[in-house]
Amino acid sequence: MPKGKPDPASIPDDGLTTRQRRMLPVTAVHTGPGKGKSTAAFGMALRAWNQGMNIGVFQFVKSAKWKVGEEAVFRRLGELHEQTGEGGAVEWHKMGEGWSWARKPGAEEDHARDAAEGWAEIRRRIETETHDFYVLDEFTYPIKWGWIDVDDVVATLADRPGRQHIVMTGRDADPKLIEVADLVTEMTKIRHPMDQGRKGQKGIEW
Amino acid sequence: MPKGKPDPASIPDDGLTTRQRRMLPVTAVHTGPGKGKSTAAFGMALRAWNQGMNIGVFQFVKSAKWKVGEEAVFRRLGELHEQTGEGGAVEWHKMGEGWSWARKPGAEEDHARDAAEGWAEIRRRIETETHDFYVLDEFTYPIKWGWIDVDDVVATLADRPGRQHIVMTGRDADPKLIEVADLVTEMTKIRHPMDQGRKGQKGIEW
């Protein structure tokens, strides 16, 4: 069935061998109004974990109530890695509760500052090759709202060392983000149960 | 950020309570030419596993080489469930090697027959409520090719007992499948590395 075999005529004249092209880092964006943007990113992270990659998840979401299912499973997979050496290491960070590395007890809530701090930390990690596979979940929103400078993001991604894969999710991805990515998928909503007033479902929505 | 809260004006006049609406089974289709259809389905299965649901995956794919990452992780999660009671049980079946329940050593390869057998078994399981969450991966193709009767699928899904969630993936979903689903997402390819002759990547493509 669909194997996505490249047309030999489209093999680029870049002087790279097939093996070298297999080693290129991937920059992916999942955008659009439909479901599955984050879910597909976590699905990709699942494969990466299975290949022994070091996973870093950074959620630019306000509420900690969302996506608890994925978080629980990935934390468990991270424990498995520590206990048995299977798969890769996992770090999972959320802006919603204050980034764990930046917790300032009693500090006033400031989402713009939190988002900028989140990106600054991710940039440091990219520059020092901390992880093999990054999920920047709902990362398009702080960019859209001007809390994170898209030019800084694009420059950091374009110049990053080594072979770090980066997947970003969220609606309304900035055109510059689309431009720097080599894998862009738009999720389009055709029909959604909530349109009919149905409620989120345990095991489906979280 | 986007919480998908239903507009109160759209709450249906179906006599159901919010609690009852939360218990409705979900029928989802991931279609379109873009990436992420299967990956998002497995991401949903991850949440379902975490809620203790019994997971049944049925892959209507020819090659067993694809999606080995997800399979490896879900098999591991199924073992975890057996060992520690965490999450839910997992069964993972593939048409490519002959369905495990239908193996006929030496039988001639016949994809049409295999696909029909696969669907007959899934229908039996749906009728007897074997699983809580089904992934019918690349299920649109045998329907498209006439190997599985879409009317039979639609009737089985519409009449199914209990609260069994079903996610189907693949391009070119039959309009009748779209019609019976309450959650349909189309994945559109905006840009893909293979367009530039790049090769599949370990941890990204498998």
Side-chain angles (χ1 to χ4, degrees), chain A residues 22 24 47 76 86 200 204, chain B residues 22 47 76 86 200 204:
Chain A
R22 276 207 199 281
L24 293 174
R47 290 188 202 170
R76 188 66 184 92
E86 290 169 89
I204 299 291
Chain B
R22 278 206 199 281
R47 288 187 202 170
R76 188 66 184 92
E86 291 169 88
I204 299 292

Side-chain angles (χ1 to χ4, degrees), chain A residues 51-64:
Chain A
Q51 293 287 356
M53 290 187 190
N54 181 313
I55 311 290
V57 177
F58 302 86
Q59 293 194 290
F60 286 82
V61 285
K62 199 173 158 191
S63 168

